[in-house]
Amino acid sequence: MIELTNELIRELPLLQFEGKITVVDDERKIAPAVERLSAETILGFDTEKKPTFKKGEYNYVALLQLSTYEEAFLFQLNKTGLHRSLMLLLEDETILKLGVAIRDDLIDLKKLSSFDPDGFLDLGVMAKELEIPYHGLRKLAAYLLHGRLSKAQQTTNWENHFLTESQQIYAATDAWVSLKIYDEMMKLS
């Protein structure tokens, strides 16, 4: 097996979400978004926080990303809060929600409001069970999808009033790519 070095990954084609992106930046937009997502059986999941640069500093989750194969919803929680209907979606055991290192994401989300998450599957854990040598999102994408994820927007300010197009694509891709990785993993199981 070839080691996936940063140099090798940089040579891979860029993976990027190309579907519809909906930014949910107002409470009135939450119900239609949750209704649309609730019709699905499987979703990609991720969160973003404004980066911290000082020891002891903490920022709350600013963005929750939930994606179908065709449509990504970016919930600006720093504007809307964690609405009850959104918590119900995150508690719904019948909808599989996929991500990597989701434990920390859920801990951070629960600092906004108490809820009981259910229906989550950590692809890093699944990778270990399948004896895949990589467990992070970037390397799983390279290994299973033969593509690279851009990390250019990773340390940008996710609390911005308006998300840039680059931030939107980055955030949507990070949720959507979990669906694609899961599909490849299911072929191996």
Side-chain angles (χ1 to χ4, degrees), residues 77-96:
L77 301 181
N78 58 312
K79 289 182 172 184
T80 67
L82 188 55
H83 195 271
R84 183 69 191 139
S85 63
L86 198 48
M87 287 188 279
L88 291 172
L89 177 67
L90 298 176
E91 292 176 334
D92 189 337
E93 67 183 25
T94 67
I95 300 172
L96 182 60

Side-chain angles (χ1 to χ4, degrees), residues 1-20:
M1 182 184 77
I2 297 172
E3 173 66 24
L4 280 175
T5 63
N6 289 335
E7 293 77 28
L8 276 176
I9 291 172
R10 276 194 291 271
E11 293 174 15
L12 295 172
L14 183 65
L15 295 169
Q16 189 169 290
F17 180 72
E18 296 179 359
K20 179 181 177 187

Side-chain angles (χ1 to χ4, degrees), residues 2-169:
I2 297 172
E3 173 66 24
L4 280 175
T5 63
N6 289 335
E7 293 77 28
L8 276 176
I9 291 172
R10 276 194 291 271
E11 293 174 15
L12 295 172
L14 183 65
L15 295 169
Q16 189 169 290
F17 180 72
E18 296 179 359
K20 179 181 177 187
I21 298 173
T22 301
V23 177
V24 182
D25 57 359
D26 181 297
E27 276 194 54
R28 294 170 295 194
K29 296 179 181 178
I30 295 172
V34 170
E35 185 177 338
R36 167 68 184 91
L37 290 164
S38 295
E40 298 293 322
T41 58
I42 185 170
L43 298 169
F45 164 86
D46 195 23
T47 65
E48 300 296 342
K49 296 190 315 188
K50 179 180 175 181
T52 57
F53 299 104
K54 295 179 184 169
K55 188 176 179 177
E57 189 176 64
Y58 179 82
N59 290 317
Y60 289 94
V61 174
L63 192 70
L64 167 63
Q65 304 106 273
L66 293 169
S67 180
T68 70
Y69 289 94
E70 304 85 25
E71 193 170 5
F73 292 86
L74 311 180
F75 294 87
Q76 285 190 283
L77 301 181
N78 58 312
K79 289 182 172 184
T80 67
L82 188 55
H83 195 271
R84 183 69 191 139
S85 63
L86 198 48
M87 287 188 279
L88 291 172
L89 177 67
L90 298 176
E91 292 176 334
D92 189 337
E93 67 183 25
T94 67
I95 300 172
L96 182 60
K97 293 160 284 285
L98 307 167
V100 171
I102 57 177
R103 180 183 164 273
D104 291 338
D105 289 336
L106 293 174
I107 287 170
D108 287 338
L109 280 171
K110 286 162 71 170
K111 289 179 181 176
L112 294 174
S113 193
S114 180
F115 68 101
D116 296 313
D118 204 348
F120 283 86
L121 176 64
D122 192 314
L123 297 176
V125 173
M126 188 175 175
K128 288 177 187 172
E129 291 168 358
L130 292 172
E131 299 181 1
I132 295 172
Y134 306 105
H135 310 125
L137 191 67
R138 185 170 179 255
K139 287 204 172 175
L140 282 172
Y143 183 76
L144 293 169
L145 304 175
H146 312 293
R148 69 180 163 84
L149 296 174
S150 170
K151 290 296 175 188
Q153 299 299 313
Q154 187 172 25
T155 58
T156 61
N157 184 356
W158 293 101
E159 293 180 7
N160 282 341
H161 191 68
F162 296 104
L163 298 175
T164 66
E165 182 180 0
S166 295
Q167 283 180 308
Q168 290 179 39
I169 293 169

